[in-house]
């Protein structure tokens, strides 16, 4: 917490990167994210609309966890004063790379939007990108609700992160307590590791042990 005063340059480039990642208008992420979501909407296959809904939801989640990172790292009060005092900017070689990435996050957006995600796509990507004929034109005629959905979700994710980690930092703890079962389920990543262990790992270990003890040892 509170690191923006200790490492201001890193804070600024992180914010620029976060704006691009969450698809803030005019950044590189805004055009690429919108292009992906709009092309999913106009896709002529049964999974298109499904992909559209999922990507719009993902835009909100991306915005939420990205701003959560910024708020918890750079804002608020330091949780560990020893580490806070020890925090310092990276060496110049690292900062120069971060600056270049931050510049790209902005410059690869609006100035080059037609090349990366507009009418110049075919000329720029040529054979490396396959797309249905007319998809670029169809993307330009999607309803405004569809076109603005990613930006609205970006704003929603930011607002919830701000509420949870700046305005009312006690809320996440209270929510976790109120929905203890759901919180545990999500915290344990849907118990995916446990399922994987039970279905694949343990049977494989049992088979291996059987072949070792009975096959190699006994036989």
């Amino acid at each position: 917490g509170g690191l923006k005063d200790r490492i201001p340059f890193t804070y600024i480039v992180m914010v620029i990167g976060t704006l691009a990642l969450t698809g803030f208008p005019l950044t590189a992420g805004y055009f690429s994210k919108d292009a992906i979501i709009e092309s999913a909407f106009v896709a002529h296959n049964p999974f298109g609309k499904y992909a559209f809904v999922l990507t719009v939801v993902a835009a909100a989640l991306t915005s939420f966890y990205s701003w959560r990172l910024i708020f918890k790292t750079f804002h608020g009060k330091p949780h560990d004063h020893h580490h806070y005092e020890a925090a310092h900017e990276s060496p110049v070689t690292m900062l120069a790379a971060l600056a270049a990435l931050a510049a790209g996050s902005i410059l690869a957006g609006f100035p080059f939007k037609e090349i990366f995600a507009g009418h110049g796509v075919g000329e720029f990507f040529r054979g490396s990108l396959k797309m249905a004929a007319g998809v670029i034109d169809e993307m330009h005629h999607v309803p405004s609700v569809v076109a603005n959905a990613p930006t609205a979700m970006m704003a929603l994710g930011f607002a919830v992160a701000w509420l949870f980690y700046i305005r009312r930092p006690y809320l996440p703890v209270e929510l976790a307590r109120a929905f203890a079962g759901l919180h545990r389920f999500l915290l344990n990543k849907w118990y995916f590791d446990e399922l994987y262990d039970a279905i694949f790992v343990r049977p494989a270990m049992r088979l291996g042990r059987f072949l070792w003890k009975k096959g190699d040892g006994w036989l």
Side-chain angles (χ1 to χ4, degrees):
L3 282 177
K4 69 175 167 43
D5 301 326
R6 293 286 301 171
I7 44 174
F9 182 84
T10 301
Y11 171 65
I12 289 164
V13 290
M14 278 287 288
V15 167
I16 291 170
T18 299
L19 288 170
L21 179 67
T22 58
F24 192 78
L26 302 187
T27 61
Y30 173 72
F31 296 104
S32 60
K33 189 168 275 196
D34 277 25
I36 291 165
I37 291 173
E38 286 169 11
S39 62
F41 182 80
V42 300
H44 298 291
N45 72 62
F47 288 106
K49 298 293 184 284
Y50 173 67
F52 166 72
V53 170
L54 287 195
T55 46
V56 167
V57 172
L61 295 178
T62 304
S63 181
F64 171 74
Y65 74 66
S66 302
W67 287 110
R68 174 182 183 270
L69 170 75
I70 294 288
F71 294 148
K72 281 179 75 79
T73 308
F74 296 101
H75 292 259
K77 292 181 174 60
H79 295 296
D80 184 328
H81 282 278
H82 173 69
H83 282 113
Y84 176 79
E85 293 301 328
H88 58 84
E89 292 282 17
S90 306
V92 172
T93 46
M94 192 72 186
L95 296 183
L98 287 174
L101 288 167
S105 296
I106 296 168
L107 297 176
F110 186 70
F112 294 102
K113 74 176 197 299
E114 283 304 319
I115 294 176
F116 293 146
H119 288 290
V121 164
E123 183 58 31
F124 181 77
F125 288 104
R126 299 198 181 157
S128 65
L129 187 67
K130 296 276 179 263
M131 61 167 76
V135 82
I136 293 287
D137 285 324
E138 287 181 48
M139 281 161 58
H140 283 108
H141 298 112
V142 295
S144 59
V145 173
V146 170
N148 294 320
T151 307
M153 287 297 170
M154 176 206 71
L156 177 69
F158 172 85
V160 175
W162 178 81
L163 178 70
F164 275 17
Y165 301 103
I166 300 282
R167 192 82 181 89
R168 306 249 193 278
Y170 56 84
L171 266 182
V173 183
E174 287 188 0
L175 271 175
R177 205 174 289 134
F179 300 98
L182 179 64
H183 178 252
R184 202 174 308 112
F185 177 68
L186 296 174
L187 195 63
N188 286 295
K189 301 181 287 293
W190 301 40
Y191 290 101
F192 216 85
D193 290 350
E194 286 77 3
L195 278 168
Y196 192 89
D197 193 57
I199 295 167
F200 298 110
V201 178
R202 282 189 212 150
M205 294 284 279
R206 277 199 293 272
L207 178 65
R209 194 173 289 111
F210 173 79
L211 293 172
W212 164 39
K213 294 286 190 192
K214 292 286 184 282
D216 287 358
W218 177 77
L219 189 62

